[in-house]
Amino acid sequence: MPIAVFGHQSPDTDAVSSALVCAGLLERRGQQAKPYRLGPLNPETEFVFGWAKAPVPELLTRLEPDQPAFLVDHNEAAQSLPGLATQQVVGIVDHHRIGQLSTPAPILLRTEPVGCSATLLLALQREWEVALQGQEARLMLAAILSDTLGFRSPTTTEADRRAARQLAQLGEVEDLTALEEALFAAKSDVSGIPADALLKMDFKVYRFGGRPYGLAVLETTHPASLLARKGELLEAMREEKAKSQLAGIFLGVVDILSGTNQTLVPSPEEAQLLERLFGAPVHDHLADLGDRISRKQQIVPVFERHLS
Amino acid sequence: MPIAVFGHQSPDTDAVSSALVCAGLLERRGQQAKPYRLGPLNPETEFVFGWAKAPVPELLTRLEPDQPAFLVDHNEAAQSLPGLATQQVVGIVDHHRIGQLSTPAPILLRTEPVGCSATLLLALQREWEVALQGQEARLMLAAILSDTLGFRSPTTTEADRRAARQLAQLGEVEDLTALEEALFAAKSDVSGIPADALLKMDFKVYRFGGRPYGLAVLETTHPASLLARKGELLEAMREEKAKSQLAGIFLGVVDILSGTNQTLVPSPEEAQLLERLFGAPVHDHLADLGDRISRKQQIVPVFERHLS
């Protein structure tokens, strides 16, 4: 049975691209592997796969009980395939914090505080001394630009910049600025998407102190057009919070170009928490989180510290 | 404050050598780092550091509350420095299963199912493009020979064999067989060591189903001389079990040359567990576990599967 390789729920460009690339690297290393995704492509990822002329991985809804799984761009059970058993996990390549991870035996596990999983896959490709296709290099480059917001995110490292340069060469991409603009335009073109789908586009559940919290992010070059839909977004947040029995739910609207974060909160409960954790005053369901634009580096650790 | 780099409690050759080497690699990468050990050197490790003419890392008993820590050759809290906080851990290089790991933010984390942590450090040294000293190569080579029992352990991979060849060259070690024999002789020369110290020489605590179990191993070329001390070893096991409030305690006596494992159990409780988990009949406090000589690959996963 081939190893199923997949990224997190509500997949983004890194999750889907890294699944495809990682499966390819494993195959070239002599293992059977097949890439998957756990949800629909978001508009940016759809653009990226069209641009790179790459085949979109199939949707995965369940695995055989003894099928091996390789996780990319995530490691927490709450963000992975529902029902996945720890003994199925044979590998993880990720750039997020480790959340309640246990494995019965040693596995191939790599995490690093870099901007993108694709940066780590490039290092793995070198170590394994296997080929990388131009199509794969283009997907990885797009994933890095997407995850680091064009190197603007505080998660960006020198390793990401160097990887992007090497991938641009391998993928024969000459105009990085044009690619970046096309990515951000696709990322921001969400006017036709209903509020509940917008909420779930980059939505992750974390367990802090044993309780589940939903942290959504929407990165855009046009925050005003998203904030104009505040009413329906808040309604979608309340519904998701009730349906998934979350202890709290937050939606950060990140302005890519100014590097700022305005976060929507549905109730006084979440408002008080943000005031306590970040000293951020909340007005009319909107908290100004300033330049905290990285969920993994600037938001999650603060929740973890205060709630665990 | 420098990053404190250290291996597990009851340190072995890999734990102490990898701490020294990893601290050196971090320093050459531009970070301040200092190697430590969490306990006294065992006879084999003492021999190795003398042979390699390497400085023995200092004993570590406590860290400053905000001092960063880098773990080598382990990752489980129960095997690490008592009181270590997860937010202090900035890196892990290991070849064991992951046990209940959570970190508030992304860290440098590498595990792989290979025979020795030193094998992973060699890959890291290449990726980081920093120098490796001859002394370090000798320590790493000895660690690989020790952990893989001269490539006899089922944990041995092609990566370990290749790393050993490269390290022998770098360390200018010509006669691997002579080194292996000297290692095993030092490993087996334990006649002067009291039973309670023998028990703790390679002793690890694992949590299975939330309860702590102590799994000790003694690798030797002379199992008979250890088994002749069965009475005092069982007494030391009963004392440790009571003192540390363990749910069970086991001492595997591994015959390096024949590749077999005879495991001591102090009470009917442990005997029944081994019969249930491995179908191994127990006679007179001794269970024949056959060729199960790797704790991490052949023992711990079975405990985990049945008790969690």
Side-chain angles (χ1 to χ4, degrees):
Chain A
M1 214 164 344
I3 302 168
V5 187
F6 50 89
H8 50 79
Q9 291 178 29
S10 303
D12 60 8
T13 298
D14 189 23
V16 188
S17 299
S18 287
L20 189 79
V21 173
C22 186
L25 299 182
L26 289 168
E27 286 269 345
R28 269 158 247 158
R29 207 192 176 207
Q31 294 173 277
Q32 273 199 298
K34 188 172 171 182
Y36 291 97
R37 60 188 161 85
L38 297 191
L41 295 193
N42 69 31
E44 183 202 78
T45 310
E46 200 170 325
F47 160 77
V48 166
F49 272 74
W51 166 78
K53 296 188 180 60
V56 176
E58 282 174 31
L59 184 70
L60 181 70
T61 52
R62 58 180 294 274
L63 285 178
E64 298 301 316
D66 54 347
Q67 185 166 5
F70 198 115
L71 315 186
V72 293
D73 199 31
H74 76 299
N75 68 81
E76 304 193 41
Q79 298 162 11
S80 198
L81 186 71
L84 182 71
T86 50
Q87 64 263 29
Q88 290 180 271
V89 179
V90 297
I92 296 172
V93 172
D94 189 17
H95 65 130
H96 297 87
R97 68 138 189 186
I98 302 297
Q100 308 256 327
L101 185 65
S102 281
T103 66
I107 65 165
L108 173 62
L109 168 53
R110 299 208 171 188
T111 72
E112 231 170 287
V114 294
C116 185
S117 301
T119 300
L120 303 180
L121 285 176
L122 184 62
L124 211 49
Q125 177 259 336
R126 304 211 154 174
E127 186 182 321
W128 289 354
E129 297 174 351
V130 294
L132 192 72
Q133 298 167 356
Q135 186 185 72
E136 293 169 335
R138 286 191 286 281
L139 290 177
M140 292 162 83
L141 172 62
I144 293 175
L145 288 174
S146 167
D147 262 20
T148 64
L149 300 176
F151 311 121
R152 288 172 182 82
S153 168
T155 58
T156 311
T157 65
E158 188 47 39
D160 299 302
R161 292 178 198 276
R162 194 171 53 233
R165 281 194 300 272
Q166 293 165 345
L167 291 165
Q169 275 203 327
L170 284 166
E172 297 176 9
V173 180
E174 278 167 25
D175 192 343
L176 276 198
T177 309
L179 173 59
E180 184 184 304
E181 280 171 9
L183 278 177
F184 293 167
K187 215 192 251 293
S188 307
D189 179 19
V190 293
S191 55
I193 300 180
D196 57 343
L198 271 180
L199 175 65
K200 300 302 280 292
M201 213 154 74
D202 181 3
F203 184 78
K204 291 187 181 175
V205 175
Y206 296 85
R207 297 192 77 85
F208 300 117
R211 303 176 74 202
Y213 291 80
L215 272 62
V217 173
L218 285 173
E219 296 160 347
T220 177
T221 52
H222 295 293
S225 56
L226 275 172
L227 293 174
R229 297 173 65 185
K230 189 165 82 172
E232 43 171 332
L233 287 169
L234 287 170
E235 191 48 39
M237 291 169 75
R238 289 189 192 102
E239 272 173 33
E240 179 60 29
K241 185 180 176 184
K243 200 189 87 185
S244 299
Q245 299 188 297
L246 301 171
I249 188 165
F250 305 85
L251 168 55
V253 176
V254 167
D255 183 336
I256 299 175
L257 301 178
S258 72
T260 53
N261 176 351
Q262 291 183 281
T263 289
L264 283 167
V265 292
S267 81
E269 223 177 326
E270 283 92 352
Q272 281 161 16
L273 194 56
L274 287 194
E275 296 205 17
R276 180 157 73 87
L277 263 54
F278 301 98
V282 181
H283 296 296
D284 202 14
H285 297 285
L286 205 57
D288 183 356
L289 290 191
D291 64 358
R292 297 184 185 89
I293 62 173
S294 165
R295 179 172 47 194
K296 78 167 70 61
Q297 191 181 90
Q298 299 167 301
I299 308 285
V300 168
V302 183
F303 272 82
E304 175 76 14
R305 219 165 19 243
H306 283 83
L307 300 181
S308 294
Chain B
M1 214 166 343
I3 301 168
V5 187
F6 50 90
H8 50 79
Q9 291 178 30
S10 302
D12 60 8
T13 298
D14 189 22
V16 188
S17 298
S18 287
L20 188 79
V21 173
C22 186
L25 299 182
L26 289 168
E27 285 269 346
R28 270 158 247 159
R29 206 192 178 207
Q31 294 174 277
Q32 272 199 299
K34 187 171 173 183
Y36 291 97
R37 61 187 162 87
L38 297 191
L41 295 192
N42 69 32
E44 183 202 78
T45 309
E46 200 170 324
F47 160 77
V48 166
F49 272 74
W51 165 77
K53 297 187 180 63
V56 175
E58 281 173 31
L59 184 70
L60 181 69
T61 52
R62 58 179 293 276
L63 284 178
E64 298 301 315
D66 55 348
Q67 186 167 5
F70 198 115
L71 315 186
V72 293
D73 200 31
H74 75 300
N75 68 81
E76 303 193 42
Q79 298 161 11
S80 197
L81 186 71
L84 182 69
T86 51
Q87 63 264 29
Q88 290 179 271
V89 179
V90 298
I92 297 172
V93 172
D94 189 17
H95 65 131
H96 296 87
R97 68 139 189 186
I98 302 296
Q100 308 255 328
L101 184 65
S102 281
T103 66
I107 64 165
L108 173 62
L109 168 53
R110 299 210 170 185
T111 72
E112 231 170 288
V114 294
C116 184
S117 300
T119 300
L120 302 179
L121 286 176
L122 184 63
L124 211 50
Q125 177 258 336
R126 302 210 157 175
E127 186 182 320
W128 288 354
E129 297 174 350
V130 293
L132 191 72
Q133 299 167 357
Q135 187 186 70
E136 293 168 335
R138 285 191 286 280
L139 290 177
M140 293 162 82
L141 172 62
I144 293 175
L145 288 175
S146 168
D147 262 21
T148 65
L149 300 176
F151 310 121
R152 287 170 183 84
S153 167
T155 58
T156 312
T157 66
E158 187 47 40
D160 299 302
R161 292 178 197 277
R162 194 171 51 232
R165 283 195 298 271
Q166 293 165 346
L167 291 165
Q169 276 203 326
L170 283 166
E172 297 175 9
V173 181
E174 277 166 25
D175 192 344
L176 277 199
T177 310
L179 173 58
E180 184 185 304
E181 279 170 11
L183 278 177
F184 293 165
K187 217 191 250 293
S188 307
D189 179 20
V190 293
S191 55
I193 300 179
D196 57 343
L198 271 181
L199 175 66
K200 301 301 281 291
M201 214 155 72
D202 181 3
F203 184 78
K204 291 186 181 176
V205 175
Y206 296 86
R207 297 192 77 84
F208 300 118
R211 302 175 73 202
Y213 291 80
L215 272 61
V217 173
L218 285 173
E219 296 160 347
T220 177
T221 52
H222 296 292
S225 56
L226 275 172
L227 293 174
R229 298 173 65 186
K230 189 165 80 171
E232 42 170 333
L233 287 169
L234 286 171
E235 191 47 39
M237 291 168 76
R238 288 189 192 102
E239 271 172 33
E240 179 61 28
K241 184 181 176 183
K243 200 188 87 185
S244 298
Q245 299 188 298
L246 301 171
I249 190 166
F250 305 85
L251 169 54
V253 176
V254 167
D255 183 337
I256 299 175
L257 301 177
S258 72
T260 53
N261 176 349
Q262 292 184 281
T263 288
L264 283 168
V265 293
S267 81
E269 222 177 327
E270 283 93 352
Q272 281 161 16
L273 195 57
L274 287 194
E275 296 207 17
R276 180 156 74 86
L277 264 54
F278 300 99
V282 181
H283 296 296
D284 202 14
H285 296 287
L286 204 57
D288 182 356
L289 289 190
D291 64 358
R292 297 185 186 88
I293 62 174
S294 165
R295 178 172 49 194
K296 78 165 71 60
Q297 192 181 88
Q298 298 168 300
I299 308 286
V300 168
V302 182
F303 273 82
E304 175 77 14
R305 223 169 11 248
H306 284 83
L307 300 181
S308 294

